[in-house]
Amino acid sequence: MAVIMLPERRSTVASSSSYQNPSDLPCEVPLAESVNQILEPREYLDSKPFSLGFVETETCDKPRFGGHQTLKERERSYSAINQTIHCGFVKGTNGLHQRAGFDLTEKDRAYMKNCVVSVSSCIFGSSDFLRRPATKKQTLSKLASEGHVPDKQGFVGLWKTVVVSNLPYTDMRKTGKVPKFLSHRLFPSSRYSIWIDSKMRLTTDPLLIIDFFLWRTKSEFAISNHYDRHCVWDEVVQNKRLNKYNHTAIDEQFMFYRSDGLKKFDPSDPNSPLPNVPEGSFIVRAHTPMSNLFSCLWFNEVDRFTSRDQLSFAYTYLKLQRLNPDRPLRLNMFKTNVEEIAKLGFHIRIVSVEH
């Protein structure tokens, strides 16, 4: 597997190259004309900081990447308080320290530790751009066949390629959630991160993206609404209809969430929770304690249940909000139809800003 990071200041706003129906157009994104016209706000979030640590080791015979979190530990982890929680990268202790997976070279770790703003994506295998996991050789061979040969420093153009060994899950959709959700763990010095699916191309400065989606809205986590579905109930039906995952596992997860207070989205009810199915191909985050906590919690739900992260998003967000009324996660859930564009087979055109 190859995880790809962007080291320079470029990012994306995606739209389709052509549309038959004007109503299909995604929302316009009026970025600033230049990074010279934006400035990071001082304390733009009226936050109540807390200390968040991560479980690094567990004493067990069979270490696993997500650790062995108990239900009691899981419940406590939803509180925005000083605490140490499970958040991937857990090593076992059995005489010697044992890694549970997602291993990086020390050279790559050192490079990633220096990133202040990170933009990341991932590519699996040789038959698909993202979701077909395979070996390092297959992934790099696929890149080479497309004319993308990493140089001596591991760069393909502006991208820095990082090869991951000892993948933590046999379900590679779960493995893909590691770079998607845990950017604050992979880039421990980074203050902001942007996640994009591999189908998207970067051309504009990531600071313009951060400014628009986070700073202007005083948000710490930005993700798009699903282009078609807005209720987890509908997402469950669709996942089973398309056989996206084992039906029994989906039912068990959904029943657990409903028993713990998950409510159905009702667009006609002004008091109904937000549209609770994300599209997920584009995520912008400030690495605040609350944003990092939410990312860990969401990852832990995927680790415990199914890899279909759209099933666990609403439950994780709403439970976190419910248990921390005096310290809510500042979420910006915006409208987009990037996934619909990809399904229709359109090439992605980039709305870029000239400097």
Side-chain angles (χ1 to χ4, degrees):
M1 188 193 81
V3 180
I4 301 181
M5 275 65 64
L6 182 75
E8 297 188 24
R9 294 179 174 179
R10 296 192 179 183
S11 191
T12 183
V13 178
S15 63
S16 167
S17 58
S18 61
Y19 296 90
Q20 294 180 350
N21 189 337
S23 64
D24 292 334
L25 286 168
C27 296
E28 181 181 358
V29 181
L31 300 174
E33 293 185 0
S34 169
V35 294
N36 296 326
Q37 299 179 7
I38 62 175
L39 184 66
E40 180 180 14
R42 288 188 178 182
E43 300 179 357
Y44 76 100
L45 295 175
D46 183 21
S47 62
K48 297 179 180 179
F50 55 93
S51 175
L52 191 63
F54 308 112
V55 174
E56 301 290 346
T57 60
E58 288 183 338
T59 303
C60 54
D61 294 330
K62 294 183 179 180
R64 58 187 304 275
F65 182 80
H68 298 80
Q69 185 189 51
T70 67
L71 288 175
K72 184 177 180 180
E73 290 171 333
R74 175 185 179 274
E75 187 68 21
R76 175 180 168 82
S77 69
Y78 274 83
S79 298
I81 58 176
N82 297 340
Q83 61 172 322
T84 299
I85 65 172
H86 287 80
C87 192
F89 301 96
V90 179
K91 296 179 291 187
T93 55
N94 186 14
L96 297 174
H97 280 66
Q98 302 173 343
R99 292 196 179 279
F102 214 86
D103 296 343
L104 307 173
T105 67
E106 290 303 318
K107 183 178 180 180
D108 286 334
R109 285 183 181 276
Y111 177 89
M112 297 163 73
K113 190 175 182 179
N114 290 327
C115 295
V116 177
V117 175
S118 63
V119 182
S120 59
S121 184
C122 66
I123 298 175
F124 291 128
S126 58
S127 60
D128 193 276
F129 286 106
L130 179 61
R131 297 179 177 176
R132 298 291 183 183
T135 64
K136 164 186 172 181
K137 180 178 178 181
Q138 287 176 307
T139 301
L140 294 182
S141 296
K142 175 63 175 177
L143 289 173
S145 70
E146 297 171 346
H148 305 309
V149 180
D151 62 20
K152 294 181 179 180
Q153 285 74 42
F155 286 87
V156 176
L158 291 173
W159 288 109
K160 165 70 173 176
T161 60
V162 175
V163 177
V164 180
S165 61
N166 189 21
L167 302 183
Y169 301 102
T170 55
D171 179 355
M172 290 302 153
R173 294 181 186 274
K174 285 194 177 184
T175 298
K177 304 306 185 257
V178 177
K180 182 175 182 177
F181 293 160
L182 304 185
S183 57
H184 61 292
R185 302 296 315 275
L186 290 168
F187 304 92
S189 300
S190 183
R191 296 169 58 191
Y192 300 94
S193 64
I194 299 172
W195 163 263
I196 58 167
D197 277 359
S198 62
K199 64 174 175 275
M200 301 174 73
R201 183 181 179 184
L202 305 177
T203 62
T204 56
D205 196 304
L207 291 183
L208 301 179
I209 301 297
I210 293 168
D211 170 61
F212 180 81
F213 288 101
L214 299 183
W215 295 346
R216 296 190 201 178
T217 60
K218 293 186 177 181
S219 303
E220 53 195 325
F221 196 103
I223 190 170
S224 60
N225 286 321
H226 195 273
Y227 60 89
D228 184 43
R229 293 181 295 280
H230 305 295
C231 182
V232 180
W233 271 249
D234 298 331
E235 186 66 22
V236 167
V237 171
Q238 185 72 352
N239 271 263
K240 293 169 69 174
R241 186 179 73 83
L242 298 178
N243 290 317
K244 293 288 188 177
Y245 209 88
N246 178 274
H247 291 199
T248 300
I250 291 176
D251 288 338
E252 289 176 351
Q253 180 178 7
F254 189 45
M255 289 176 63
F256 186 98
Y257 288 169
R258 291 184 65 182
S259 69
D260 197 27
L262 180 63
K263 303 298 182 183
K264 190 172 185 179
F265 173 68
D266 181 359
S268 64
D269 181 1
N271 297 317
S272 184
L274 81 168
N276 50 29
V277 178
E279 199 275 331
S281 64
F282 180 63
I283 303 174
V284 189
R285 297 176 45 203
H287 288 188
T288 62
M290 199 63 175
S291 173
N292 293 345
L293 175 59
F294 174 71
S295 297
C296 290
L297 296 175
W298 194 8
F299 174 80
N300 288 341
E301 293 304 307
V302 170
D303 178 69
R304 180 177 292 273
F305 293 107
T306 72
S307 59
R308 308 305 300 177
D309 55 51
Q310 291 166 323
L311 299 178
S312 51
F313 172 84
Y315 170 84
T316 305
Y317 170 74
L318 294 172
K319 183 178 178 71
L320 182 63
Q321 300 295 80
R322 185 174 72 248
L323 296 182
N324 302 278
D326 61 338
R327 178 52 179 100
L329 173 71
R330 268 65 172 189
L331 176 68
N332 175 15
M333 204 165 184
F334 55 91
K335 181 181 178 181
T336 184
N337 59 3
V338 172
E339 188 67 17
E340 181 179 14
I341 296 166
K343 286 181 179 179
L344 289 173
F346 291 114
H347 293 290
I348 299 298
R349 173 175 59 85
I350 307 305
V351 180
S352 61
V353 177
E354 298 295 334
H355 297 285

